Amino acid sequence: MSEKKAFIVPGIGYTADRSLLYFTGKMAENAGYTRDVIGFGGFEKGVKGDPEKMKRAFRHAYNQLTEQLPEDAAEGDIFISKSIGTAVSLHADLKKGIRARHILFTPLAETMHELRLLLESQGSERAKDIIVFHGLKDPWAPDNEQLSEDAEECGVTYYEVTDANHSLETGEVMTDIGNLRGILEACGEFISGSH
């Protein structure tokens, strides 16, 4: 059997060496996963709030992900993704039938659409393999009520971070460190399969 892999899938500006992706990737590595960082680049400027640019950014990110995703990506693997990376990770899982587990940091409305499609295709029991983190002051996904309803309807584990932006940060360093600890503890339980 091949090694379990943790695919680190960044956002447009949130790279794999920033705290959420870096530390969660390290936790996966410590749990026996091989860390595989997906590199993104070449996005248009001004994507936020522009539906056409968002569609192009999604296609661009998806193409970059599938070029770097190994052919043997499989059920034991995990995607640790952020922002647009959450949507393209779910889309790749759906299209390729990978059936991996997913940690979704700061999903977009498009992510929740992809999540529904994935669960419709692969079965609602797959919801146990997915965990979502959303900041309640995220300008990229401002409809907190809709996101919460979508997560509840899908049956996934869902965490909200009070006053947090698209990086799950509040601007108060000590608050952010405390929040990060709680987020990482939840991710650690999820990675180990004990959530």
Side-chain angles (χ1 to χ4, degrees), residues 11-76:
I12 291 175
Y14 196 99
T15 57
D17 57 359
R18 299 224 8 222
S19 57
L20 293 169
L21 296 178
Y22 176 78
F23 287 119
T24 309
K26 288 293 281 184
M27 291 175 86
E29 202 170 51
N30 291 343
Y33 289 82
T34 300
R35 196 164 33 154
D36 189 346
V37 177
I38 303 298
F40 282 162
F43 290 101
E44 292 179 82
K45 298 224 181 300
V47 172
K48 184 171 72 173
D50 186 323
E52 286 308 309
K53 284 186 178 180
M54 180 57 81
K55 283 180 191 163
R56 289 195 295 271
F58 178 90
R59 283 193 301 271
H60 182 68
Y62 179 73
N63 290 338
Q64 290 184 68
L65 171 62
T66 54
E67 284 168 10
Q68 297 170 65
L69 200 60
E71 288 296 320
D72 65 347
E75 197 168 331

Side-chain angles (χ1 to χ4, degrees), residues 92-123:
D93 191 322
L94 174 63
K95 293 294 181 195
K96 296 178 176 295
I98 299 168
R99 302 182 68 84
R101 300 170 78 217
H102 292 265
I103 297 174
L104 307 174
F105 290 122
T106 66
L108 308 172
E110 292 82 358
T111 306
M112 303 316 278
H113 173 71
E114 292 296 330
L115 178 56
R116 285 180 189 281
L117 294 175
L118 180 85
L119 295 175
E120 284 168 16
S121 172
Q122 296 182 359

Side-chain angles (χ1 to χ4, degrees), residues 134-147:
H134 170 65
L136 291 177
K137 289 192 175 171
D138 184 343
W140 283 78
D143 194 341
N144 297 325
E145 197 172 314
Q146 185 63 57
L147 207 66

